[in-house]
Amino acid sequence: MTTRIGVVTFPGTLDDRDSLRAVRLAGAEPVSLWHRDKDLHQVDAVVLAGGFSYGDYLRAGAISRFSPVMETIIEQAKAGMPVLGICNGFQVLTEAHLLPGAMLRNNHLHFICRDQKLRVENAETAWTGDYTAGQEISVPLKNMDGRYVADERVLDELEAEGRVAFRYVDMNPNGSLRDIAGITNAAGNVVGLMPHPEHAVEPLIGTGRTDGLPFFTSVLKKLVSA
């Protein structure tokens, strides 16, 4: 049976087609999901793609969190379904309280777009199994509201429980606390990160590397072995 991975489109989503392509390149069947449809159409995992859903009005991800599809995604994520939030998708996951903390405006108050080096801190999640802990990768980064913040208690819990999934290397592009680029929930099935692995899945686009493809092959292997 083919593994089906859904990619959600909200009004203002920009990177859904890139994410669908990454899913296809990894060997799974990509499925487009519309934000107003509660039905996930029998997908095995979900990607919340990047962009500027609802124009980032109120706060980035704040309106999308209440889209009908999120009701089902929240329910399924709590039941163990793998969910990946990329950039705006990460913002939606924090607004939906599937991941702790919040995303604020970059500390330099400018949009940033660059190739970004990351260190893999946790290779045990559903989305990072094809990496090794300590591995350094390079994927594109593009955001305006990319500064990850949380109170010291939450940050200490994330560190102690190994739930910091990725950390910025060489430079912190947006002022994220403790150089955090991505985190996971306690169960390891929900992961959010600001950089864009879907833009680094084949040599002719993005960074010219394929450092982002293991996100999608990792979850495929996880689902096949489940």
Side-chain angles (χ1 to χ4, degrees):
M1 180 178 293
T2 303
T3 301
R4 293 163 56 85
I5 299 179
V7 177
V8 179
T9 299
F10 300 98
T13 295
L14 302 178
D15 301 302
D16 43 353
R17 292 192 178 187
D18 302 79
S19 296
L20 289 164
R21 181 173 178 80
V23 168
R24 184 180 297 110
L25 288 172
E29 178 184 349
V31 179
S32 295
L33 300 175
W34 183 237
H35 74 112
R36 292 192 62 80
D37 188 358
K38 287 186 178 183
D39 188 352
L40 298 185
H41 301 282
Q42 293 80 52
V43 300
D44 303 293
V46 169
V47 176
L48 301 178
F52 300 90
S53 60
Y54 291 95
D56 282 349
Y57 289 120
L58 299 184
R59 290 184 310 276
I63 300 176
S64 294
R65 176 262 179 274
F66 293 102
S67 289
V69 73
M70 286 305 300
E71 181 180 331
T72 311
I73 289 173
I74 291 169
E75 176 184 301
Q76 292 300 310
K78 290 179 178 179
M81 174 181 279
V83 177
L84 175 65
I86 303 170
C87 196
N88 187 234
F90 186 12
Q91 294 160 345
V92 174
L93 290 177
T94 60
E95 291 289 339
H97 304 297
L98 286 173
L99 291 174
M103 310 303 301
L104 300 181
R105 187 63 49 93
N106 296 343
N107 62 343
H108 45 72
L109 302 181
H110 294 287
F111 180 84
I112 187 169
C113 182
R114 67 185 304 272
D115 293 344
Q116 177 65 49
K117 186 181 291 186
L118 306 175
R119 184 171 60 249
V120 180
E121 301 283 26
N122 184 336
E124 303 295 326
T125 79
W127 298 92
T128 59
D130 274 355
Y131 294 110
T132 57
Q135 180 179 351
E136 293 188 358
I137 63 174
S138 180
V139 298
L141 172 78
K142 48 175 187 172
N143 63 69
M144 183 69 182
D145 298 271
R147 178 161 54 109
Y148 180 76
V149 298
D151 63 37
E152 288 297 311
R153 178 187 59 81
V154 170
L155 292 170
D156 288 344
E157 285 180 359
L158 291 174
E159 300 277 13
E161 297 172 8
R163 291 171 53 196
V164 175
F166 296 90
R167 222 180 290 267
Y168 296 115
V169 176
D170 292 342
M171 70 163 291
N172 185 325
N174 44 38
S176 292
L177 297 181
R178 304 194 189 183
D179 298 329
I180 291 174
I183 61 175
T184 179
N185 66 342
N189 64 302
V190 179
V191 171
L193 78 161
M194 287 310 297
H196 287 261
E198 79 282 11
H199 294 325
V201 295
E202 52 187 340
L204 294 179
I205 61 171
T207 60
R209 300 163 55 138
T210 59
D211 290 7
L213 190 58
F215 275 87
F216 304 95
T217 57
S218 293
V219 74
L220 180 57
K221 290 179 182 178
K222 178 73 172 180
L223 291 166
V224 169
S225 65

